[in-house]
Amino acid sequence: MARYYRYKLPPWCRYWLVVIERATLPIMIFQLIRTLFFPTTMDVFLLGLFVGIFVAFYMEWI
């Protein structure tokens, strides 16, 4: 199976990948602060989702 290579994607798709990659950290920090002050099940789920996306971008899985 071939490794995922983001530069084979169309330019518009690469653009949105970069936008999502750069926006993930500030959204994750905001969600962490929100979860610390108002912990609900949805906030914990969203924080886990953003941490997962951030780790996937950091490890270059996406």
Side-chain angles (χ1 to χ4, degrees):
M1 181 179 263
R3 188 176 185 286
Y4 175 76
Y5 191 60
R6 79 166 52 179
Y7 297 106
K8 288 184 179 179
L9 296 172
W12 63 270
C13 190
R14 277 186 284 159
Y15 172 78
W16 284 109
L17 260 171
V18 170
V19 168
I20 292 169
E21 185 175 6
R22 294 189 185 206
T24 304
L25 184 62
I27 292 172
M28 186 176 66
I29 291 171
F30 171 77
Q31 191 62 37
L32 174 67
I33 293 169
R34 180 182 159 96
T35 302
L36 289 175
F37 289 118
F38 307 110
T40 64
T41 305
M42 189 65 173
D43 288 327
V44 174
F45 174 74
L46 283 175
L47 180 61
L49 180 70
F50 286 124
V51 167
I53 291 171
F54 181 77
V55 168
F57 277 119
Y58 183 76
M59 300 296 284
E60 296 179 358
W61 293 338
I62 296 179

